[in-house]
Amino acid sequence: MFFTDEREQFFKPLTGKYREQVVECVRLLHERLYSSQADYGESLRREQVLDVFGEALERAPLLEGDDEAGRFRNNREQAGWILNLLVEHGWLKRDKDEASFQSTYPFSRSGRLFTQTLVEVDGRSVRTRHRNTRNTLNALAAFGERGEVYDLLDAHEHSERIIADFTDIIAELEERKRELVREVESRQLVQQASDQFFEFMEKRFQPDVAIRMSADSVEKHRDRIQTTIERIKRKPRAWKAQAEKDLRQRAPDLVVSADASVLFQLLDSIEARMRNASEIMLPALRRTLQGFTRRADIIIRQLSYLHSQKHSDIVGLCQTLAELDDDAYGARLEKAGDAMAGLHLGLVDPAQVRLREPRAQRVVRHRMEELAEPDRDTLRELATQQLLEKAFNINGGALRDYLREALGASRRIDNRDLPVNTARDLLALSHVIELGSADHAAAGFRLRIEPTDVVRDEHYFVRRDGFLLELEQDDTTARPE
């Protein structure tokens, strides 16, 4: 369970009036500990944590009104209160050095993971989301060359991020569209909305989404990933057995059962994710982009209209005309009519008048051509081909009937003892191994096959494999084929 011990009220620091300040404190602490600005080592002492929180409180807003009650005399006191709050509810840990008797305050595992999410939501970190498709391909290729199972696990992780990245960019586009609509509805924020829109198109849309739709598109790398997976599946049996053994040792959580292959499970999962990304998520992203661009077009038109109407006060002019008497009103409209009734005459430039050459009309032959009857040789060739196809065609029902007749009352037979009386018996003998497939087992006909010695120098075969056939289940006697 998650909400146990110190995590019983884990999200309590993120509620209340000071929630935005708490979020800014943990973001800045995470930046000091795990980013390129980490200059204090792995953990910070109390004074260092209070300095970080004091810096965060200087730029974090206070929600739901100002702190007029004066609960905290200064930021130092509030930083100490936030530190104790985070330690109490499991975001931070208090570790004491037995030698120096000084306490350090690192993140707990849960606190670090949730703080990392808050940092990513803030959008300050740089992420190359469109690289996960290429990373999946590179990791699969490395696994196929060296056989290192960690490369396969990396490919599986990168393929999982592909779907998550598509979901993130679609949600971001929808959120950006709602923000643009909400801000443009107010005339005071028109300039701000336009600046944000063009900044987003230049810094976010062009470098990330454009690359995702062209150079690093999942459609571009899907075939190469599929080819790499098939090449791995065709590896020698010893190579795959060693990879399966390494996977079961180093990733025991992936083992579903003793019979299920972890190697093929990971490869099939990567293949399914690429198929879903190409057939489901990529069309969804295109639809979202179309909706976003349509909304952007409407916003640009609205901005242009508002800019053109900036100095045209139609409402004020109508109010002025409504306050005039009938004579002044008529005189004003008569002057406006005279100003608008001017005649403008324009002559055609003779140099621009040119005669176009007539185009030849295209003749379309619409008559249907009647095909002649085929000659006797063609009919004979078609009939012969059809008879040959029927002669060498055998279905699953015929195979099962042949094996039932050969077994009789017994349940076990060697394929060397199968009778061959007709050409159909010979054809069934050459295909009898197909009865052990999964399709027949799913239909209710389960056949156990054990390999025996190689059979040589027979009347019909020079060399063939020997098998011991044992019928375990037969529920297809009355079932149509």
Side-chain angles (χ1 to χ4, degrees), residues 285-393:
L285 176 59
R286 289 196 178 104
R287 290 192 298 269
T288 305
L289 286 175
Q290 291 174 359
F292 181 78
T293 52
R294 285 196 299 267
R295 178 61 62 183
D297 180 67
I298 295 174
I299 291 174
I300 293 175
R301 292 176 184 272
Q302 184 175 358
L303 293 175
S304 301
Y305 173 77
L306 293 176
H307 180 74
S308 62
Q309 299 294 327
K310 185 176 181 180
H311 302 288
S312 180
D313 191 3
I314 302 297
V315 178
L317 179 60
C318 293
Q319 291 178 354
T320 302
L321 293 176
E323 295 175 357
L324 299 176
D325 54 9
D326 294 340
D327 296 336
Y329 180 77
R332 183 74 64 88
L333 291 181
E334 185 176 357
K335 290 181 180 180
D338 294 339
M340 298 173 61
L343 179 62
H344 299 279
L345 180 61
L347 300 177
V348 179
D349 186 3
Q352 300 296 329
V353 179
R354 297 180 181 178
L355 294 177
R356 295 184 178 180
E357 297 180 359
R359 294 183 298 178
Q361 294 183 355
R362 184 179 178 182
V363 179
V364 179
R365 301 182 181 274
H366 60 279
R367 293 182 179 180
M368 299 294 294
E369 184 178 357
E370 296 183 359
L371 297 178
E373 292 290 336
D375 54 7
R376 297 183 61 182
D377 295 336
T378 304
L379 292 176
R380 186 182 300 107
E381 183 179 356
L382 293 176
T384 304
Q385 183 178 358
Q386 186 177 6
L387 290 175
L388 289 175
E389 291 177 354
K390 290 182 179 181
F392 292 96
N393 182 26

Side-chain angles (χ1 to χ4, degrees), residues 33 40-45 48-49 95 104-107:
L33 288 176
Y40 297 118
E42 185 175 351
S43 301
L44 304 181
R45 296 189 298 273
Q48 295 170 333
V49 174
D95 295 339
T104 57
Y105 295 85
F107 274 102

Side-chain angles (χ1 to χ4, degrees), residues 211-242:
I211 295 178
R212 184 189 298 277
M213 301 293 289
S214 58
D216 283 329
S217 174
V218 292
E219 293 180 341
K220 177 180 179 181
H221 297 291
R222 178 184 176 183
D223 293 338
R224 298 178 61 186
I225 291 176
Q226 179 67 29
T227 304
T228 306
I229 291 176
E230 293 178 355
R231 187 163 57 248
I232 293 174
K233 290 182 177 180
R234 291 195 300 267
K235 288 284 187 178
R237 183 175 299 179
W239 190 92
K240 291 185 288 187
Q242 183 63 36

